[in-house]
Amino acid sequence: MTAAVVTGVGAAIPPRVVTNDDLAGYLDTSDEWIRSRTGIASRRWVDPGMSTGDLAVAAGELALRSAGIDRVDAVVVATTTPDRLCPATAPEVATRLGMTGVSAHDVNAVCTGFLYGLASAVGLIAAGNAQTVLMIGAEAFSTILDPQDRSTAVIFADGAGAVVLRAGSPDEPGAVGPIVLGSDGSLSDLIQIPAGGSRQRSAGTLAPPEDHFFQMRGREVYRHAVERMAASAQEAMVKAGLSMADVDKFVPHQANNRISVAVGERLGLVPAQTVSNVDHMGNTAAASIGVLLAEASVDGELHAGERLLLTAFGGGLTWGATTLVWPALTAHMTVLPRPVSAVAV
Ligand code: UT7
């Protein structure tokens, strides 16, 4: 059976650091509240002029360099914040990476985007449609946040993380294991942007301004996130024919440190096994697992031969998990320069 094998990893983050105190300067919140409820101390937000596509191109370039290639057969971009509602962001990203002509499409599973994107890439390879795929989770999530909504503005952030996959064998290091995915559309209202889509447009009425921003019912989401991430992680290990004792490192979507800790505890993992960067990256939605893989690899926190367990949860609702043995590779990560338009102001 053909497997999809990770051969390169890269990440790109915006230059602008936003601290909790920066937010407390204009919102009714505090560094203490944000740290204790989320584990976040600072996050990166794009400056005006920088988009999801810009982050995706930079991360994609680094993942290609990490894999030692300059072209793939297909590009997948997982994002909640495409450069435009139409067309998809992936074709332009592919062209900017010098790959006009290749298969290119977007995936939207909000914070589960990285795992849904991975499944899409694995599927392209398994079906023989591609020998190599560049899968990029990328978000300029700050662009959809209501600046006055303290319940979301303190959590979400921007960045891009990318992996290169190639066709290979299931017993190779880097081979992506069975991917467990799920959804529950009856709870779609818990995480949403109400306006801007066909449901609102076809009503022929103007939506209130706040309906154009991202909205989340955090407390309810929290409960579902812990349950679904833990259950799908367990299922992914069973499908791979493994037990929790086989896990070396736990790489959860960086929703909130309390969620990562609660899921780790449910799975019987010890805190030292959990890899995290939410304290300085915030929740970068579809990008978070990719950014975390790249950063932890660059920092020497992930070692070749370690078995990783990945799990995520997001709007839809959606969730998923998978496992792989970390391959020997050199990951790359960069901080993008400020866009010219932001430097000018
Ligand atoms: O990425 C995947 C999808 N997203 C998630 O997984 C996020 C899941 N949810 C969460 O991480 C947490 O629910 C939050 C971090 C969003 C909120 O933490 P919480 O402990 O669930 O707080 P809460 O929503 O229950 O709010 C507690 C209180 C409320 O005040 P009252 O009603 O108790 O008076 C909120 O109004 O905290 C208030 N609050 C804040 N206070 C200061 C909400 N946001 C803030 C804030 N600063 N930023």
Side-chain angles (χ1 to χ4, degrees):
M1 201 190 94
T2 306
V5 179
V6 173
T7 60
V9 182
I13 54 174
R16 181 175 160 213
V17 177
V18 179
T19 65
N20 292 345
D21 285 337
D22 291 336
L23 297 175
Y26 63 92
L27 284 172
D28 182 15
T29 188
S30 66
D31 178 54
E32 198 283 326
W33 192 97
I34 302 169
R35 278 181 201 261
S36 62
R37 299 288 179 131
T38 70
I40 300 169
S42 65
R43 73 287 290 142
R44 303 263 178 164
W45 282 0
V46 294
D47 288 294
M50 186 180 286
S51 75
T52 292
D54 298 335
L55 291 161
V57 167
E61 199 175 340
L62 292 180
L64 290 167
R65 191 191 302 167
S66 168
I69 57 175
D70 58 13
R71 199 174 170 81
V72 289
D73 300 328
V75 174
V76 179
V77 173
T79 187
T80 321
T81 52
D83 281 4
R84 293 173 277 185
L85 269 183
C86 164
T89 302
E92 199 176 343
V93 168
T95 285
R96 289 173 65 187
L97 288 168
M99 297 188 281
T100 298
V102 303
S103 154
H105 72 273
D106 285 7
V107 169
N108 179 355
V110 199
C111 295
T112 320
F114 197 84
L115 292 181
Y116 269 81
L118 204 57
S120 185
V122 168
L124 286 167
I125 288 174
N129 287 319
Q131 289 292 306
T132 50
V133 180
L134 172 63
M135 204 297 287
I136 313 169
E139 301 282 13
F141 217 95
S142 62
T143 62
I144 57 170
L145 296 175
D146 179 347
Q148 298 307 322
D149 179 1
R150 66 179 182 174
S151 71
T152 55
V154 303
I155 298 170
F156 291 94
D158 307 337
V163 289
V164 170
L165 302 127
R166 65 158 167 78
S169 117
D171 46 19
E172 276 184 79
V176 179
I179 304 181
V180 170
L181 298 173
S183 71
D184 182 353
S186 72
L187 297 171
S188 58
D189 288 357
L190 295 188
I191 293 176
Q192 62 164 329
I193 301 175
S198 63
R199 188 172 298 283
Q200 176 261 316
R201 284 169 182 243
S202 70
T205 50
L206 281 181
E210 64 271 21
D211 279 6
H212 289 276
F213 288 120
F214 177 82
Q215 300 173 4
M216 178 175 74
R217 303 217 306 258
R219 199 177 300 189
E220 287 163 79
V221 170
Y222 187 102
R223 187 170 53 80
H224 291 289
V226 174
E227 275 168 25
R228 295 300 189 179
M229 285 170 79
S232 57
Q234 259 150 353
E235 203 182 327
M237 291 303 284
V238 170
K239 278 203 167 158
L242 299 165
S243 77
M244 281 301 152
D246 297 310
V247 174
D248 295 305
K249 293 278 165 64
F250 179 44
V251 185
H253 159 56
Q254 299 294 284
N256 172 337
N257 197 50
R258 283 160 56 215
I259 292 178
S260 298
V261 169
V263 175
E265 278 172 2
R266 278 199 186 199
L267 297 175
L269 301 170
V270 298
Q273 288 178 278
T274 300
V275 186
S276 169
N277 64 2
V278 77
D279 62 325
H280 57 279
M281 287 296 172
N283 177 344
T284 57
S288 85
I289 289 179
V291 173
L292 183 57
L293 287 173
E295 188 176 28
S297 187
V298 167
D299 289 351
E301 268 189 81
L302 296 183
H303 306 103
E306 286 182 331
R307 176 161 292 283
L308 312 187
L309 172 60
L310 278 43
T311 181
F313 178 88
L317 300 177
T318 54
W319 55 86
T322 193
T323 177
L324 78 158
V325 172
W326 195 238
L329 52 73
T330 303
H332 301 293
M333 183 157 180
T334 192
V335 179
L336 285 188
R338 292 190 78 196
V340 176
S341 54
V343 175
V345 284

